[in-house]
Amino acid sequence: MRIVCQKCAAAYAIDDRLITAKGVRAQCPRCRNLQLVRRDSSAVPSGDAPAAAPRPASSAPPVADDLFAELGGPAAAAPTEVSSTHGRAAKPAADLFADFGAPPPAASADPFASVGDSPSSGSGDPLLDFLGPAPTAPPAPVARMSPGPGAVPVSVMPPTAAAPTPSRAAAPAPAAAAPKSATMGCRTCGKSLLDPFDQALGICDGCRQRESAGGAAKAAAPTPTPAPAASADFLPPLSAPEEGAGESLELASRTSPAPALASEPRSNPRVAPARVASGVRSGSAEKQGASGSSGGRWALVGGLVLLVAGSGVAGFFYLKHQEEQRLRAAAPPPVAAIPEAVQQVLPRWKLKYLMLEGTSQERLSEGQAQLARDERFAYAEAEESFQQALLLDPRSDEAISGYTQALALGRGPGLDDASFAEASSLVEAAEVRAGRTPALLLAHANLLLTRFRQEEPLKRAKELAEESLANAQATAAQKAEAHLVLGRVYLSSSGALAHQHFDSAQKLAPELKRIQYYRALAHESAGEYRLALETLRKRLAADPRDWDSLATTSRIYQEVGEPDEARKLYEARVKADPDELRALLPLAVLRYQSEGTPAVGVRELRALLKSRERYGQRDVAEVLVHLAAAERALGNNDAALKAAEEALGLSADLPEAHLQVFLVALEQRDAAKARKHLSGIQGWLGDRALEAVLEGRVLLLEKKPAQALERFTEASTRDDRRLDAQLLAGVAAAGAKRREDAFRVLNQALRADPLRLEPRALVTRFWMRPSDTVRGVEDIILALAENADDPGPHLYEGLLRFHQGDLDGADRHFREVLESDSNNAGAMAYRALIALQRGNASEARALAARAVSAGRQLPVAHLAQGLVLAEAKQVEPAKRSLREALGLSPTLLSAKARLAQLEVPQRRADARAQLVSVVGLDPAYLPAKRMLYLLER
């Protein structure tokens, strides 16, 4: 049947026997357009019908009726392929893999079984000549079955002699030309063929009619010549296509650059009739002309070929997978990148350890052994060991966790902000790199506990400890550490919960020394000083050289007013080891910090320096710092400065030495020196409010009162116990000529507790005198006086002098106030307190009564009267006055503590509860601690 393309008007032919009852889709060999061809010429193309790839008629002579000549017969001449206009190669004439699901015909009647040479080869094919020259793109390889048993599909290239010259710029085929004169005869009767249609079919019209009616002999496909090598790109599919997949396969053949296996048109299996009933071969547009036995043989051969091909492909991919696995196993493990946080600390740490030797594992072992000693002095050594381990192996997360743990336990609340931030970045980077292991989580939690006065770090430490307990990989020791962290979290909020966690830690790790230490702290925070001391004594009985427990026991004794008991502890250690500096130095420090005899302390400290060759540089520097503090307590600023600077010469980063130089510079009004040494103490004192106060003092020296006011306000906000910050804020406002602001702040200070200037640690390496923060700011408030009779400046100047300890100067200014304002309740109340301290009870009682009469809303007036009455043994009137003071100002801790003391004989339990609440509000309020200790005795 002759077809004319509806798109490009090219003419081509298709065998009538290929047209089924529903028609086939024919593809133009020139423009590749698909159109539906039916036996009825009135049919229109349908996009749903399957396409049949037409081929020009071949002039090949008929061959034997043997469909399996390609599998086992003798090799025939290699067929040539015709390239499409898009550069794709035509497919083999007899496609064994066109459709594995349908039975094959008995014999092939495909007139396109063998395609002639391309037009450029001058094959004389009339249909190809009619279609014009083929594109110049080279033909693509096609799949062929090599002869012989066990053959697999191989790649076959068309003969190079007939291949056109490759050209990427090949133009489309020109329009169809007129057919040539007869150059061939009918393949059946040998009659010359003049009609182009007959030439295209290779058979005359009469023979074609006879074959259609009687079934003429079929042409056998020539056996293709096997290619020398097979290509995996042209292997057949491992399984037959599923029903309904015909369209997707056909679309893939049109869009994929790789050539398909067959060019026969495929019918759509969803719309094709049943294969057995119709007798039409699905996907090939060929009629069924064979018996059932031929179909069975075809299916068997196809299945065998599929099995062999599938085995080959599976074997290929299996071997490839095994090779990849072998290469992956042989390759070295990927090296993790060094976090930026580690890279930042390494250069600075390298300067500390220039002659570093050994391995990282050796340093790790040393650090872990030092941590296991569970002593404060061993933590500093462990810190250095873990630093060295990280230098030797920057990828060691164990070194980071050990360093963070040693830093947190060794420095505690004294850890400066810079070191805290650095350790936080290190441990967080390790958690990202190694995962949230129990060791890293617990080290991080202990680091957060160094900021125990802040709510957010405590909350995060609790979460990390709970996560460690829930970790299935946590060891018993790590779970004990987690319980210890949780107990420390509850120290200030719930003594019962703290003890519960300490008990759990004790069961898991009985050898952990810190358990008893923190248990004693829990007793102390609850005001149970007897239990705290008993716990520490048991620890010392088991290990007399437990210096942490010894130091804590000594501190508790000093804070409750029993320095003699503290001295006995260290004297016993000196008898056991006369040259032990950790016992000799605390004895000298007791002299100037607790016993009030700085001269004796200076003498004992200088005696220690005579044997300085027996101690290390840092130990000598520590002795020099205490000597500077004792000299300053005596008022010898020059000697104090010399000792502190000598200590800095031995250890330049010693913050306690910087503090002593700083305080001397403040008294000498040397702003430049004070500013220089301020940087050496910032972040190290463990008290951000105190650091803000000291910075404000420097700003006052630098004539920057407005900025100083900001620092003092910040300190007062951080810690409302700091009355010194309120006084200094008034001074700064006065220096800025802001009278109203100054009087507003100073009036608040006037109503505050007069017996509590600031929270101050009694036993500390950062020692300061009670009034050091407010010294050197006299007479600034007096500049606010508007006239000679203005009482305000004198009132607040007297208040400042009172807290400086200058009772004479304070009393003089209060008298000035009363001369201008005889009913000033504040001036009379403070004059009553001064008289009480001087032992003048009658004057104190008269002044207090006048103060209450003049200012019934002033809490300090009622406090003064209550203290005077209590001193006179008038218990009930004293209680009434103290209760009135607390009603006006509940933060008057001195009134609460004195009231509890008066109620001990009648209401012992209530008195103790009052004292415990005072200690809870201010652990540095030593009078309440003394009362609790005496109450337990």
Side-chain angles (χ1 to χ4, degrees):
M1 183 176 180
R2 186 174 182 175
I3 309 298
V4 178
C5 179
Q6 296 175 349
K7 184 175 181 181
C8 65
Y12 55 93
I14 185 171
D15 194 340
D16 292 341
R17 291 172 295 180
L18 301 177
I19 306 177
T20 65
K22 292 188 178 182
V24 297
R25 283 201 299 174
Q27 188 175 39
C28 177
R30 177 185 174 191
C31 67
R32 311 299 290 178
N33 178 49
L34 294 175
Q35 64 187 69
L36 181 64
V37 179
R38 299 178 182 272
R39 290 178 181 176
D40 184 2
S41 59
S42 62
V44 295
S46 174
D48 296 332
R55 299 189 180 187
S58 172
S59 59
V63 295
D65 186 7
D66 186 4
L67 292 175
F68 306 102
E70 292 181 352
L71 300 177
T80 57
E81 305 292 332
V82 177
S83 299
S84 69
T85 59
H86 296 283
R88 295 190 181 95
K91 311 300 180 287
D95 188 354
L96 294 179
F97 313 109
D99 192 346
F100 299 115
S108 174
D110 190 355
F112 311 110
S114 178
V115 182
D117 296 338
S118 63
S120 60
S121 65
S123 65
D125 191 327
L127 179 57
L128 297 181
D129 293 343
F130 175 76
L131 293 176
T136 58
V142 297
R144 285 290 185 268
M145 292 291 297
S146 60
V152 295
V154 296
S155 176
V156 178
M157 295 296 296
T160 56
T165 304
S167 173
R168 292 185 179 272
K180 294 182 181 180
S181 60
T183 58
M184 59 182 295
C186 176
R187 67 171 179 262
T188 303
C189 64
K191 179 183 176 180
S192 299
L193 300 178
L194 300 177
D195 186 72
F197 184 78
D198 294 339
Q199 292 176 357
L201 296 179
I203 187 171
C204 65
D205 183 73
C207 295
R208 186 167 64 253
Q209 296 297 331
R210 285 194 299 273
E211 287 182 359
S212 299
K218 307 301 184 288
T223 303
T225 303
S231 172
D233 295 337
F234 305 104
L235 292 177
L238 297 181
S239 60
E242 298 293 336
E243 290 295 332
E247 290 182 347
S248 63
L249 291 176
E250 180 182 273
L251 179 60
S253 69
R254 294 197 302 266
T255 58
S256 172
L261 292 178
S263 61
E264 285 85 349
R266 295 177 180 267
S267 61
N268 193 332
R270 291 177 295 179
V271 298
R275 292 170 179 167
V276 177
S278 67
V280 178
R281 183 179 176 187
S282 173
S284 64
E286 293 180 350
K287 292 183 178 181
Q288 286 274 5
S291 62
S293 61
S294 299
R297 286 187 297 159
W298 181 267
L300 177 61
V301 172
L304 290 174
V305 172
L306 182 61
L307 178 61
V308 172
S311 300
V313 172
F316 169 76
F317 284 109
Y318 176 76
L319 292 176
K320 184 177 181 181
H321 174 72
Q322 292 296 322
E323 180 67 15
E324 291 176 353
Q325 290 289 94
R326 185 184 65 80
L327 293 176
R328 189 178 297 111
V335 179
I338 299 177
E340 183 180 356
V342 178
Q343 295 179 9
Q344 290 178 354
V345 303
L346 291 180
R348 188 175 69 256
W349 288 1
K350 285 179 181 178
L351 297 177
K352 296 173 60 177
Y353 312 105
L354 297 178
M355 304 298 293
L356 192 58
E357 297 178 354
T359 65
S360 176
Q361 189 59 43
E362 292 174 352
R363 295 295 181 271
L364 278 175
S365 300
E366 292 177 2
Q368 291 166 354
Q370 290 157 350
L371 272 181
R373 290 168 57 187
D374 213 7
E375 298 176 0
R376 185 174 299 275
F377 294 98
Y379 295 140
E381 300 173 359
E383 180 182 331
E384 295 179 354
S385 296
F386 287 120
Q387 284 180 338
Q388 296 171 15
L390 191 62
L391 285 173
L392 292 170
D393 182 9
R395 294 176 175 84
S396 175
D397 297 305
E398 294 180 356
I400 292 178
S401 64
Y403 167 74
T404 307
Q405 182 86 338
L407 189 74
L409 297 179
R411 301 194 190 182
L415 181 65
D416 61 291
D417 290 344
S419 297
F420 177 84
E422 180 181 272
S424 297
S425 62
L426 285 174
V427 73
E428 288 170 0
E431 288 172 357
V432 172
R433 181 171 62 181
R436 299 176 69 82
T437 63
L440 288 170
L441 293 176
L442 292 171
H444 197 176
N446 277 303
L447 180 66
L448 292 170
L449 285 179
T450 63
R451 299 297 183 262
F452 67 94
R453 291 186 180 276
Q454 303 174 23
E455 181 179 355
E456 185 60 28
L458 279 179
K459 180 181 178 181
R460 289 185 59 200
K462 178 176 178 291
E463 293 172 353
L464 293 175
E466 291 173 345
E467 183 179 350
S468 301
L469 283 176
N471 194 313
Q473 299 179 352
T475 64
Q478 289 170 340
K479 290 182 178 180
E481 184 70 33
H483 281 294
L484 200 57
V485 170
L486 290 173
R488 293 175 63 190
V489 169
Y490 290 115
L491 271 179
S492 58
S493 59
S494 175
L497 286 175
H499 285 296
Q500 179 180 343
H501 284 289
F502 293 148
D503 291 339
S504 300
Q506 186 78 37
K507 294 177 182 178
L508 291 168
E511 72 284 353
L512 197 58
K513 301 177 182 178
R514 282 178 291 127
I515 296 176
Q516 297 299 330
Y517 174 75
Y518 289 121
R519 192 187 295 277
L521 294 183
H523 288 307
E524 182 188 6
S525 65
E528 299 170 342
Y529 297 111
R530 181 180 58 82
L531 291 176
L533 292 171
E534 287 180 358
T535 303
L536 292 170
R537 287 195 197 99
K538 290 179 181 179
R539 178 71 200 124
L540 289 173
D543 183 9
R545 297 180 63 85
D546 183 4
W547 299 104
D548 287 343
S549 297
L550 183 62
T552 303
T553 307
S554 173
R555 175 184 60 78
I556 293 176
Y557 273 128
Q558 293 179 65
E559 288 180 350
V560 299
E562 297 290 339
D564 292 340
E565 295 295 330
R567 174 169 294 281
K568 291 177 183 178
L569 291 172
Y570 284 110
E571 288 176 346
R573 290 307 314 147
V574 170
K575 289 180 181 179
D577 193 351
D579 296 329
E580 180 58 64
L581 183 63
R582 284 179 288 185
L584 293 171
L585 182 59
L587 285 172
V589 172
L590 268 169
R591 299 294 187 182
Y592 79 92
Q593 287 191 358
S594 296
E595 296 177 353
T597 55
V600 180
V602 168
R603 184 171 63 250
E604 293 184 0
L605 289 167
R606 291 192 179 277
L608 290 176
L609 289 175
K610 292 179 180 179
S611 304
R612 61 193 305 168
E613 66 278 355
R614 294 186 298 181
Y615 313 120
Q617 285 190 354
R618 193 170 185 88
D619 291 336
V620 174
E622 187 177 358
V623 175
L624 288 169
V625 169
H626 284 292
L627 177 62
E631 293 282 11
R632 211 169 50 79
L634 286 174
N636 300 330
N637 285 339
D638 293 338
L641 184 61
K642 181 180 178 180
E645 290 178 342
E646 185 179 354
L648 289 174
L650 296 174
S651 181
D653 59 346
L654 205 60
E656 52 264 43
H658 285 287
L659 176 64
Q660 298 304 323
V661 178
F662 174 84
L663 294 174
V664 172
L666 282 184
E667 290 194 45
Q668 295 178 346
R669 301 181 183 273
D670 189 341
K673 180 178 287 188
R675 173 63 67 179
K676 175 183 176 181
H677 290 275
L678 176 66
S679 60
I681 60 178
Q682 286 180 324
W684 285 93
L685 301 181
D687 188 342
R688 298 289 298 276
L690 175 59
E691 291 177 9
V693 167
L694 297 180
E695 184 180 0
R697 287 299 313 271
V698 176
L699 291 170
L700 279 180
L701 283 179
E702 294 173 341
K703 309 300 182 183
K704 299 175 182 178
Q707 297 179 29
L709 176 60
E710 294 178 1
R711 298 283 80 77
F712 296 136
T713 303
E714 176 189 350
S716 181
T717 302
R718 285 183 177 274
D719 189 349
D720 57 1
R721 299 174 299 171
R722 300 209 70 94
L723 178 58
D724 57 346
Q726 294 183 5
L727 290 170
L728 291 169
V731 172
K737 307 301 183 184
R738 294 161 58 174
R739 175 185 172 94
E740 293 183 1
D741 291 339
F743 283 3
R744 175 178 53 80
V745 175
L746 290 171
N747 184 58
Q748 295 176 1
L750 182 69
R751 303 171 67 88
D753 194 334
L755 304 183
R756 175 176 159 273
L757 175 64
E758 59 190 355
R760 189 175 68 89
L762 181 61
V763 182
T764 176
R765 59 189 179 126
F766 300 106
W767 187 80
M768 299 175 63
R769 289 174 295 187
S771 57
D772 271 342
T773 55
V774 294
R775 290 177 183 269
V777 292
E778 302 84 3
D779 301 331
I780 297 178
I781 300 175
L782 294 176
L784 296 177
E786 295 179 347
N787 51 62
D789 297 330
D790 189 354
H794 286 283
L795 175 65
Y796 298 127
E797 182 70 19
L799 178 65
L800 175 64
R801 299 292 182 106
F802 175 85
H803 286 291
Q804 285 180 340
D806 182 6
L807 298 183
D808 292 337
D811 190 62
R812 184 175 64 253
H813 284 288
F814 289 136
R815 288 177 182 274
E816 292 283 345
V817 172
L818 292 175
E819 289 179 0
S820 302
D821 182 6
S822 59
N823 291 324
N824 191 294
M828 287 185 288
Y830 272 91
R831 285 201 65 205
L833 293 174
I834 293 173
L836 186 62
Q837 292 187 30
R838 289 174 173 174
N840 193 342
S842 58
E843 183 181 4
R845 184 171 182 177
L847 289 170
R850 290 177 56 194
V852 170
S853 177
R856 292 192 174 276
Q857 298 301 315
L858 185 65
V860 176
H862 293 282
L863 173 64
Q865 187 179 42
L867 294 176
V868 169
L869 293 174
E871 192 68 22
K873 307 300 182 182
Q874 299 182 18
V875 177
E876 292 304 323
K879 289 182 180 180
R880 286 195 297 270
S881 296
L882 293 173
R883 290 193 184 102
E884 290 178 1
L886 286 173
L888 294 172
S889 177
T891 60
L892 286 176
L893 298 185
S894 56
K896 183 177 290 189
R898 193 71 174 96
L899 178 61
Q901 185 181 22
L902 292 176
E903 290 181 342
V904 167
Q906 294 83 18
R907 303 170 59 188
R908 186 184 184 89
D910 291 343
R912 188 183 187 285
Q914 288 288 337
L915 293 172
V916 170
S917 68
V918 171
V919 174
L921 292 172
D922 185 4
Y925 194 76
L926 302 184
K929 288 191 172 184
R930 173 67 176 173
M931 294 177 192
L932 274 173
Y933 177 75
L934 295 176
L935 187 61
E936 289 185 343
R937 291 178 59 182

